Amino acid sequence: MIDIVDSSTRSRMMAGIRGRNTKPELLIRSLLHRKGFRFRLHAKDLPGKPDIVLPKYRSVIFIHGCFWHGHHNCHLFRLPATRTEFWQEKICRNQANDARAIDLLLASNWRVCIVWECSIRGAKKDPEKVVSTIADWLAGDEQFLEIRDTPIDR
């Protein structure tokens, strides 16, 4: 399939995609704040620069876009038909970086939560329920939590 825009337009469009302060991230931050949680953002001193850091709970939250982080078996992830090799390498590199950051954080006794975009995006989704799940996790002692819309296949 041929791209419907020229390469300079596509480049400008891709450059406009944000890596932080995305809509899903802003939504989760707003709901957490409303529930009384206080946090830091994008801590450069932690592996992977987590989107949300809750020092009081020694916990971090990553909010992953299903496309950029290659969410397996997700309706929001589809490998592009053009430049497939480039996108496959990029997404695999992102996944490797994610795994490395999570391993380093867990080894440093940080608790890690991953919220996938598909769990909060869509008309029938309930972001309040996702934040309640996060709040319950913060009150508990589990080291790792992954919130996704698709079933986990392990």
Side-chain angles (χ1 to χ4, degrees), residues 7-146:
S7 62
S8 64
T9 302
R10 175 65 60 204
S11 180
R12 191 174 63 252
M13 289 167 64
M14 295 305 287
I17 296 173
R18 295 190 267 180
R20 49 177 72 171
N21 298 327
T22 61
K23 284 182 184 179
E25 187 180 328
L26 292 173
L27 176 63
I28 295 297
R29 283 176 11 199
S30 172
L31 294 172
L32 280 171
H33 195 270
R34 208 177 303 161
K35 281 190 171 277
F37 292 100
R38 300 301 177 253
F39 44 81
R40 292 173 40 209
L41 302 176
H42 313 291
K44 293 178 183 176
D45 57 329
L46 291 174
K49 296 180 194 168
D51 298 312
I52 300 169
V53 180
L54 297 116
K56 177 179 177 180
Y57 302 92
R58 197 159 173 82
S59 300
V60 299
I61 300 172
F62 290 98
I63 300 166
H64 284 346
C66 293
F67 174 76
W68 296 104
H69 296 270
H71 192 192
H72 185 65
N73 288 339
C74 177
H75 68 281
L76 296 178
F77 175 69
R78 185 170 296 129
L79 201 59
T82 57
R83 300 184 66 206
T84 305
E85 188 176 307
F86 165 81
W87 285 109
Q88 201 160 18
E89 287 175 14
K90 174 151 184 60
I91 290 166
C92 283
R93 200 168 45 246
N94 288 349
Q95 290 172 328
N97 291 341
D98 293 342
R100 189 170 30 260
I102 290 166
D103 289 345
L104 288 170
L105 287 163
L106 291 172
S108 300
N109 291 320
W110 281 90
R111 299 170 66 207
V112 178
C113 173
I114 297 174
V115 178
W116 288 95
E117 174 187 17
C118 60
S119 68
I120 56 176
R121 183 175 160 203
K124 295 181 181 179
K125 304 298 179 205
D126 186 4
E128 296 272 356
K129 184 177 177 185
V130 170
V131 171
S132 290
T133 302
I134 294 169
D136 292 344
W137 172 73
L138 289 169
D141 59 359
E142 282 183 73
Q143 285 296 102
F144 184 78
L145 173 67
E146 186 173 9

